[in-house]
Amino acid sequence: MMVVAGRLEAAIAGPRAVAGASGLLAAFNEGGALSPLDVHAATVIARLWAESDQTVMLAAALAVRGTRIGHVCIRLESQREAMVIEGQPPEVVEALPWPDPEEWAAAVSASRMVGDGRGEEPLVLDGDRLYLERYYRYEERVVNLIGARAAARRTVLAPETRTVLDGLLRPLPDDGPNLQHAAAVNALTGKLTVVAGGPGTGKTYTMARMLAALAETSASFPRVALCAPTGKAAARLGEVIDELAAEAESPIVRERLETLQTGTIHRLLGWAWGRGRFAHHERNRLPHDIIVVDEMSMVSLPLAAKLMAAVQSDATLVLVGDPYQLESIEAGTVLADIVGPATLSSDPGRRGPVPGAPAIAGCVVVLERVHRFEEQGPIADFADAVRDGDPDRAVELLDRGVDDLHWVKDRTEAGFRRLRARVAERRARLVEAASVPGSEEEALACLGEMGVLCANRDGPGSVEQWRGEIENALDERFPGLRYRGEWYPGRPLMITRNDYNLGLYNGDIGVVVRAGEGVRVMFDRGGVRSFPPGHLGDHTTVHALTIHKSQGSQFDEVIVSLPLESSRLLTRELLYTAVTRASKKVTVVGPESVIRLGVERSVQRASGLRSRLWG
């Protein structure tokens, strides 16, 4: 009775405590390692399969937890070392009652609810990797589909197409390897092409010109689908194609490019909310000859499996993205796993397939030459140091304090006060421009000059703290500005849900202006677009935004605001994504210890995809 009372007290004291849990599940739940969802799922699975071994139930709960935080599978032998409990020191993890690794592995292997993937068991053990059955099948499907495409025989590129492509993607001035040209040829001759590279390396540019070459030389233009995981990324891809069509001299090329439509992966596959599934799948394939997927780094393993299964076996699949950027919200690091060792060639100018690699190596092209900012400039060098996990080099570059790469170590120092005043002045200029009818384009230009990107939503250095500081400064500069209503001139806002009717997507940033016809909200979306405030759907004010939300955005200058203490959320992928949002200037705000830990910590999502593809 006292035990039950104690569990009830724990449940009342903390909503994460599960009153009915016992044994190892209770201990790991109370220690913060397992959520109620993890505990309940493992309990139900064990009950259905008549499993009473607590160590097996713990393994099942950890497998559920793994998919919840981005892992495709778990490795029992390394769980103790890999476990991180947000807000808790490593000693808390060590104090948990971990089973003996050998005995634990033996118990899991012998359990009736663990299989090899050929039966209906809810868990699958493949070597030392333990999967939920559903995720094992997703991974197996991706491995098989990619393997078949990589092994398919290549076609011969038509001479006239190669000639046009040679003109569109000319060799580099320094006679370096023309990897953009190689990527386009790969896409035109194979069933699978992966075009990887950092921001500004010309990934989308390359694919657009590949399509232009097809449009100019094909007797019958193929059926092409252009898609991305988010509406914002899909719209940006569409703008690139529209610009290319506008530049085309040939009416036929222009007409063919204008017929290309872009959309989200969910739209392409025909997501039906009422039925909770896609219209296109392995039994009802997509009708397209070429499918280009942009921003592939944001695609989860389940979505990748469903997309690849829906592509015709004789169609061409082109995956485009930056394997160093932030991973998908759901489980998996699909693009990074597919690119694999192709990013690790010793010659940074010729990164590509490694000797002795399997067939997939010939499908991967990694673009290295940066066109967004000066290739050897401090921003690019710092981004490289972060990407490569070199904290000494990163701190050394910040310490130099050059014009386009600055470091503010402490929010209490004079340098931060000057920075905050400069941010407030930029926002004041935005308000002034947005308050004058006819200055809409100037207001949008001001909006793109500076972005304040934060690792956290709350706490020191967070989105909420910056928003409060900026709005307080605006109140002092323009008394009563924000209190006249929500729609004050100069208010920057972000759309938080796709609106296909308006053509606005989650992540689109606009600004409120005072126009001739009254208050309007302006967006730079394939040209300046204007909407009455009442027409907009879900949105939020973005004087500052999280680094996650900044993906796909670009600013002249970026302020990267880090927390005072290290967080599991701060990784080199997060920092790299923030820095590469800038084209001209970066200021990093945060202590050296946090920067070092952030550069050292990489996203380590457990998955078998890379090893199964590359051996």
Side-chain angles (χ1 to χ4, degrees):
M1 187 68 177
M2 291 181 63
V3 173
V4 173
R7 297 294 298 155
L8 287 173
E9 289 176 5
I12 294 171
R16 294 181 59 84
V18 180
S22 62
L24 288 178
L25 292 182
F28 276 71
N29 171 234
E30 291 175 347
L34 296 176
S35 74
L37 172 65
D38 307 329
V39 173
H40 288 307
T43 302
V44 170
I45 294 171
R47 185 182 302 125
L48 291 173
W49 288 81
E51 177 59 74
S52 59
D53 189 314
Q54 288 191 26
T55 63
V56 177
M57 294 171 67
L58 175 62
L62 290 171
V64 175
R65 172 188 183 270
T67 60
R68 183 170 54 79
I69 62 175
H71 300 293
V72 174
C73 59
I74 63 169
R75 289 181 168 86
L76 295 179
E77 63 180 20
S78 61
Q79 276 298 285
R80 188 170 187 163
E81 293 75 22
M83 174 70 71
V84 174
I85 303 176
E86 187 67 25
Q88 297 292 342
E91 293 76 21
V92 172
V93 175
E94 285 296 317
L96 294 172
W98 292 95
D100 176 79
E102 292 186 6
E103 295 177 0
W104 197 9
V108 169
S109 180
S111 173
R112 68 182 69 191
M113 66 182 193
V114 179
D116 59 3
R118 291 192 288 267
E120 296 182 354
E121 294 84 356
L123 298 174
V124 174
L125 187 63
D126 183 18
D128 64 343
R129 297 188 295 266
L130 181 67
Y131 297 80
L132 295 180
E133 181 265 348
R134 182 161 57 105
Y135 284 85
Y136 177 80
R137 296 197 187 281
Y138 285 142
E139 186 176 279
E140 187 174 54
R141 182 184 296 180
V142 170
V143 169
N144 292 338
L145 292 171
I146 286 181
R149 289 185 172 281
R153 179 177 298 179
R154 290 187 173 276
T155 60
V156 177
L157 186 62
E160 58 270 25
T161 304
R162 180 177 290 276
T163 299
V164 173
L165 197 62
D166 290 346
L168 293 172
L169 294 170
R170 299 179 184 277
L172 301 171
D174 58 4
D175 294 325
N178 193 342
L179 296 178
Q180 290 183 341
H181 190 279
V185 171
N186 263 21
L188 290 171
T189 59
K191 298 304 177 189
L192 173 70
T193 295
V194 183
V195 185
T201 53
K203 302 182 295 295
T204 307
Y205 173 93
T206 299
M207 290 301 97
R209 274 142 188 81
M210 178 270 289
L211 293 172
L214 270 183
E216 186 167 340
T217 60
S218 298
S220 176
F221 192 53
R223 292 165 296 181
V224 180
L226 305 173
C227 63
T230 67
K232 180 179 179 180
R236 189 174 63 252
L237 179 60
E239 289 170 8
V240 173
I241 299 298
D242 290 343
E243 291 172 3
L244 188 61
E247 297 171 1
E249 297 180 2
S250 167
I252 295 178
V253 172
R254 185 163 54 251
E255 180 180 346
R256 286 177 167 180
L257 291 177
E258 287 174 348
T259 63
L260 296 178
Q261 303 253 327
T262 60
T264 63
I265 297 173
H266 280 73
R267 272 207 148 189
L268 176 66
L269 294 178
W271 175 253
W273 289 102
R275 292 178 294 174
R277 60 187 177 87
F278 292 116
H280 291 286
H281 41 74
E282 61 271 18
R283 295 182 299 278
N284 181 30
R285 304 288 183 90
L286 291 163
H288 304 89
D289 304 304
I290 299 175
I291 296 177
V292 179
V293 186
D294 202 6
E295 298 288 0
M296 186 66 194
S297 64
M298 300 168 66
V299 178
S300 67
L301 178 67
L303 185 56
K306 292 169 184 175
L307 171 63
M308 292 180 188
V311 179
Q312 299 275 5
S313 58
D314 60 347
T316 295
L317 180 62
V318 184
L319 309 178
V320 185
D322 184 352
Y324 311 110
Q325 278 196 13
L326 284 169
E327 68 288 346
S328 64
I329 296 176
E330 298 179 64
T333 50
V334 177
L335 180 63
D337 288 343
I338 294 174
V339 173
T343 61
L344 304 179
S345 172
S346 59
D347 181 354
R350 305 181 67 90
R351 291 187 182 179
V354 293
I360 189 175
C363 303
V364 179
V365 180
V366 182
L367 305 180
E368 286 287 334
R369 180 176 290 271
V370 178
H371 305 280
R372 178 170 295 173
F373 33 67
E374 185 183 349
E375 187 172 2
Q376 299 305 318
I379 298 178
D381 290 341
F382 181 67
D384 287 345
V386 172
R387 182 195 65 191
D388 296 339
D390 189 343
D392 292 336
R393 175 65 171 156
V395 170
E396 175 193 348
L397 289 164
L398 288 173
D399 255 335
R400 291 180 185 177
V402 294
D403 288 344
D404 46 0
L405 182 63
H406 286 271
W407 183 16
V408 176
K409 301 181 182 180
D410 194 325
R411 290 177 63 90
T412 63
E413 66 182 48
F416 179 75
R417 290 193 293 273
R418 289 193 296 270
L419 173 65
R420 184 170 54 190
R422 192 158 56 83
V423 173
E425 180 61 31
R426 289 288 186 93
R427 284 292 181 255
R429 284 178 49 203
L430 176 61
V431 170
E432 291 170 349
S435 299
V436 180
S439 301
E440 292 85 355
E441 293 192 17
E442 182 184 347
L444 284 171
C446 289
L447 188 65
E449 289 179 356
M450 176 183 285
V452 180
L453 312 183
C454 308
N456 296 354
R457 185 172 299 281
D458 301 296
S462 67
V463 167
E464 287 305 313
Q465 185 176 48
W466 271 102
R467 175 179 174 174
E469 291 175 348
I470 292 171
E471 290 186 337
N472 287 339
L474 291 179
D475 284 340
E476 293 179 8
R477 181 76 170 265
F478 308 99
L481 173 73
R482 292 189 302 119
Y483 303 105
R484 296 174 189 154
E486 180 184 11
W487 303 100
Y488 60 88
R491 177 197 174 202
L493 59 81
M494 174 183 283
I495 301 299
T496 56
R497 179 179 295 182
N498 293 343
D499 188 329
Y500 295 102
N501 291 326
L502 296 182
L504 295 176
Y505 303 99
N506 185 5
D508 281 348
I509 299 176
V511 60
V512 178
V513 302
R514 184 175 289 124
E517 62 271 37
V519 174
R520 307 283 287 188
V521 186
M522 313 299 296
F523 292 85
D524 186 0
R525 168 58 66 214
V528 177
R529 301 181 63 198
S530 169
F531 301 92
H535 287 193
L536 298 184
D538 295 350
H539 62 274
T540 185
T541 301
V542 285
H543 284 298
L545 65 159
T546 63
I547 297 171
H548 277 87
K549 281 290 189 181
S550 75
Q551 287 190 91
S553 298
Q554 193 65 35
F555 303 93
D556 294 340
E557 178 180 357
V558 160
I559 312 298
V560 184
S561 182
L562 304 179
L564 299 180
E565 298 179 355
S566 182
S567 164
R568 179 178 61 85
L569 299 176
L570 181 58
T571 62
R572 74 179 62 146
E573 289 82 4
L574 191 81
L575 189 53
Y576 171 85
T577 299
V579 170
T580 53
R581 299 308 93 204
S583 59
K584 296 180 180 179
K585 188 173 184 176
V586 170
T587 299
V588 178
V589 182
E592 180 177 339
S593 60
V594 171
I595 293 171
R596 285 185 173 277
L597 286 173
V599 174
E600 289 170 356
R601 183 187 293 117
S602 178
V603 172
Q604 297 295 329
R605 288 187 167 183
S607 162
L609 184 58
R610 178 178 299 210
S611 62
R612 294 174 74 178
L613 287 174
W614 288 86

